[in-house]
């Protein structure tokens, strides 16, 4: 159910409440909105994001996801052989419920917990991998969150986060999205749009986005958060430039139009165009400053424990 106006007003000064309200509301339609699935397409996408910042073929025994949403990142990573078992966590009870249901339907060994990334409810040094997709920019106290990430990782364990907006990327993505929403809702035929009640709900919930989105990142700043918590082997890469300029208007248009109006031909057009532009962006990344790209990905490692020397 969409948050009421009173709930929206109460959440304006409370980013954690805003995250719960916004993501509980989105949990029932999130997969449809973002074209999330657990098939080869999304498994390949998730694994490619993971390997873009952490090349190799290692398989981790126990992975924990922060801000799991409906389970897109970790469940697809598990299907792609990155992890054997998992724990999904989110502030939103609605998202955790959907993620654990998706895991059960896929036959994956996953438990779910409603949890705050600033106080992760698992023991010290108990997981091999911590992951997240589009979650760091929602966390108010990132210094504390990174300390928690390093605490729960076993010595030598790794974290990988993808889908974090850069400062410039967020600027052009928002402007493109706002322009597309304005044009679509004003000039498209009413028969092409979602029912007015759904559009009103989207507009009201979207008002919380300015509260739930706490950060945008310069790549150097993202590295500093990880280093300050004690991580080593920290690496940040960025991706999506032309793909983001294409993708944000497409996603915004899809949010305003019922999916049955668009059909499979549209879905394949959008996906294949994104693939071609991502290929182009990969080549542009060799000559274009990384701060111009939309998505930032970061990885790092908890240092091994010092070896004690007996006298």
């Amino acid at each position: 159910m969409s948050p009421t106006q009173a709930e929206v007003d109460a959440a304006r000064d409370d980013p954690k409440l805003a995250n719960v309200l916004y993501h509980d509301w989105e949990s029932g339609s999130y997969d449809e909105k973002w074209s999330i699935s657990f098939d080869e397409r999304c498994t390949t996408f998730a694994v490619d994001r993971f390997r873009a910042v952490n090349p190799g073929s290692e398989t981790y025994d126990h992975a924990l996801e922060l801000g799991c949403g409906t389970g897109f990142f970790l469940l697809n990573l598990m299907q792609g052989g990155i992890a054997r078992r998992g724990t999904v966590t989110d502030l939103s009870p609605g998202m955790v419920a959907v993620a654990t249901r998706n895991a059960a339907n896929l036959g994956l060994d996953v438990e779910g917990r409603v949890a705050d990334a600033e106080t992760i409810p698992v023991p010290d040094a108990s997981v091999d991998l911590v992951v997240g997709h589009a979650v760091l920019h929602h966390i108010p106290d990132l210094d504390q969150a990174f300390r928690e990430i390093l605490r729960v990782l076993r010595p030598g364990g790794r974290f990988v986060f993808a889908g974090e907006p850069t400062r410039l990327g967020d600027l052009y993505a928002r402007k493109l999205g706002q322009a597309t929403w304005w044009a679509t809702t004003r000039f498209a035929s009413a028969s092409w749009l979602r029912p007015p009640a759904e559009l009103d709900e989207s507009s009201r919930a979207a008002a919380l986005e300015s509260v739930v989105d706490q950060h945008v990142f310069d790549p150097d700043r993202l590295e500093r958060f990880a280093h300050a918590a004690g991580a080593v082997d920290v690496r940040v890469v960025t991706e999506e430039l032309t793909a983001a300029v294409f993708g944000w208007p497409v996603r915004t248009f899809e949010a305003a139009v019922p999916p049955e109006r668009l059909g499979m031909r549209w879905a394949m057009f959008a996906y294949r165009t994104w693939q071609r532009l991502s290929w182009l962006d990969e080549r542009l990344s060799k000559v274009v400053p990384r701060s111009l790209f939309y998505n930032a990905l970061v990885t790092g490692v908890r240092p091994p424990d010092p070896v004690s020397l007996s006298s």
Side-chain angles (χ1 to χ4, degrees):
M1 184 174 67
S2 176
T4 65
Q5 189 59 51
E7 289 174 324
V8 170
D9 292 340
R12 290 190 185 279
D13 297 318
D14 187 341
K16 292 185 180 181
L17 173 60
N19 268 291
V20 172
L21 291 174
Y22 181 76
H23 291 102
D24 272 354
W25 167 70
E26 283 213 312
S27 61
S29 59
Y30 196 74
D31 288 350
E32 175 190 318
K33 175 181 178 181
W34 295 103
S35 298
I36 288 172
S37 61
F38 300 95
D39 53 14
E40 182 180 357
R41 176 180 64 89
C42 278
T43 295
T44 299
F45 177 89
V47 172
D48 285 352
R49 305 284 73 68
F50 187 91
R51 296 302 184 200
V53 71
N54 178 43
S57 58
E58 183 175 359
T59 297
Y60 299 84
D61 181 52
H62 183 196
L64 179 144
E65 183 171 15
L66 301 181
C68 64
T70 61
F72 156 72
F73 201 43
L74 181 55
L75 303 191
N76 277 307
L77 290 178
M78 292 177 70
Q79 292 195 116
I82 300 295
R84 296 185 182 91
R85 57 191 177 96
T87 300
V88 291
T89 70
D90 201 295
L91 269 178
S92 161
M95 287 294 193
V96 173
V98 175
T100 52
R101 184 170 68 244
N102 285 339
N105 290 339
L106 295 167
L108 298 174
D109 183 4
V110 172
E111 65 169 335
R113 297 186 184 183
V114 177
D116 187 334
E118 296 172 9
T119 52
I120 305 171
V122 302
D124 295 357
S126 60
V127 298
D128 305 290
L129 174 68
V130 176
V131 299
H133 189 277
V135 59
L136 295 180
H137 66 284
H138 291 315
I139 301 172
D141 190 343
L142 272 180
D143 286 313
Q144 173 61 21
F146 269 104
R147 286 192 292 268
E148 280 289 278
I149 291 163
L150 271 288
R151 176 186 68 80
V152 304
L153 280 171
R154 294 190 175 95
R158 179 174 293 276
F159 61 82
V160 173
F161 291 91
E164 299 300 335
T166 64
R167 185 177 304 279
L168 290 175
D170 181 74
L171 177 63
Y172 60 69
R174 285 185 183 275
K175 295 297 184 184
L176 287 167
Q178 290 166 358
T180 304
W181 183 266
W182 181 87
T184 302
T185 55
R186 280 160 181 77
F187 298 118
S189 166
S191 64
W192 265 82
L193 295 175
R194 293 179 187 269
E198 289 186 21
L199 294 176
D200 290 344
E201 282 186 359
S202 294
S203 297
R204 186 163 62 248
L208 290 172
E209 286 186 339
S210 62
V211 184
V212 302
D213 292 347
Q214 290 285 294
H215 307 275
V216 290
F217 297 105
D218 294 317
D220 291 346
R221 178 173 179 247
L222 196 50
E223 288 174 347
R224 286 195 295 271
F225 277 115
H227 281 303
V232 296
D233 298 333
V234 175
R235 182 179 183 228
V236 172
V237 300
T238 57
E239 61 181 9
E240 289 199 18
L241 178 54
T242 64
V245 171
F246 168 78
W248 275 99
V250 166
R251 293 178 187 126
T252 305
F253 177 71
E254 290 173 345
V257 177
E260 60 270 16
R261 273 288 185 183
L262 300 175
M264 183 55 65
R265 182 175 296 181
W266 167 269
M268 294 310 299
F269 155 75
Y271 178 59
R272 287 171 178 162
T273 303
W274 177 87
Q275 282 185 310
R276 294 185 185 102
L277 293 176
S278 294
W279 177 89
L280 174 61
D281 290 340
E282 186 177 348
R283 277 119 191 103
L284 290 175
S285 67
K286 296 176 173 58
V287 295
V288 175
R290 63 180 183 170
S291 60
L292 296 181
F293 289 77
Y294 175 74
N295 275 327
L297 306 87
V298 60
T299 189
V301 172
R302 174 175 168 170
D305 286 341
V307 177
S308 59
L309 300 176
S310 57
S311 56

